[in-house]
Amino acid sequence: MSDEGERVLDDELCVAACERCPALVDSRSRIVNGVGPVDADLLFVGEGPGATEDERGEPFVGRSGDVLDEALRDAGLARSDVRITNCVRCRPPENRDPSAEELANCRGYLDAEIDRLDPELVVTLGKVPSEHLLDRSVGITGESGEVVDARIAGTPRRVLLSVHPAATLYDRSQREGFFETIARAAELAGVTEGSDGQSRLGEF
Ligand code: URA
């Protein structure tokens, strides 16, 4: 990552100050950093903070977060067992998708977080993080549940694609598939309750 003075990584993975994206600096109340253990086996990557996340300073704490928490509980996991972050750390205005430039501006923070965690599995929540990390177009409804190998910041990673939890709110029929994908994530990373802690990724 560049060491421009305006961008500061505080407390290793927390961005304390950043002014790279003028529109996001105007729309945000605060920078929303990732949460969860820095040695988590499972890393969930969303798109960017919404209104509730911007208000509370934590990723996935609004309605989408409720769905994610429920799916994690169903899979035998607590939210505190996993790390949750976003492609961009500041709320885009009117909840629009982050622009290519905004995604690129924030990429160094995400790469640093992935490198530091070195997770067993990265789970992309929705089309935006899937396309951003795989660097290709993704038909997320069709590809959700698939595990792919990807090179992220030069390192080979296993990535499980998922629809965004908000999709289950717009379209109830996506709920079962989303819950299955989260359960699969826990199983693949070897972090289900009562598991032996052994990752099963080698089998896939
Ligand atoms: N949607 C996201 O992609 N990220 C959040 O943190 C909340 C909603």
Side-chain angles (χ1 to χ4, degrees), residues 20-25 27 46-49 86-107 128-129 131-132:
R20 298 215 72 192
C21 306
L24 303 195
V25 169
S27 63
E47 178 179 321
N86 277 308
C87 293
V88 297
R89 291 173 191 239
C90 300
R91 182 193 182 196
E94 276 126 43
N95 294 331
R96 66 157 167 77
D97 287 354
S99 69
E101 191 183 351
E102 290 159 355
L103 287 165
N105 286 343
C106 221
R107 182 59 190 254
V128 168
E131 294 192 334
H132 189 46

Side-chain angles (χ1 to χ4, degrees), residues 7 15 20 30 46-48 84 96 98 109 123 130 176 184:
R7 295 192 291 158
V15 181
R20 298 215 72 192
R30 70 200 82 245
E47 178 179 321
I84 306 174
R96 66 157 167 77
Y109 303 136
V123 184
S130 303
E176 193 180 336
R184 181 146 194 250

Side-chain angles (χ1 to χ4, degrees), residues 76-145:
L77 294 176
R79 182 181 170 88
S80 55
D81 292 330
V82 303
R83 188 152 181 108
I84 306 174
T85 196
N86 277 308
C87 293
V88 297
R89 291 173 191 239
C90 300
R91 182 193 182 196
E94 276 126 43
N95 294 331
R96 66 157 167 77
D97 287 354
S99 69
E101 191 183 351
E102 290 159 355
L103 287 165
N105 286 343
C106 221
R107 182 59 190 254
Y109 303 136
L110 180 59
D111 285 344
E113 194 165 18
I114 296 172
D115 279 349
R116 171 66 181 84
L117 256 75
D118 193 20
E120 288 284 344
L121 185 68
V122 176
V123 184
T124 51
L125 296 171
K127 184 178 177 72
V128 168
S130 303
E131 294 192 334
H132 189 46
L133 287 179
L134 300 188
D135 198 23
R136 65 168 169 83
S137 67
V138 170
I140 193 59
T141 312
E143 294 188 54
S144 184

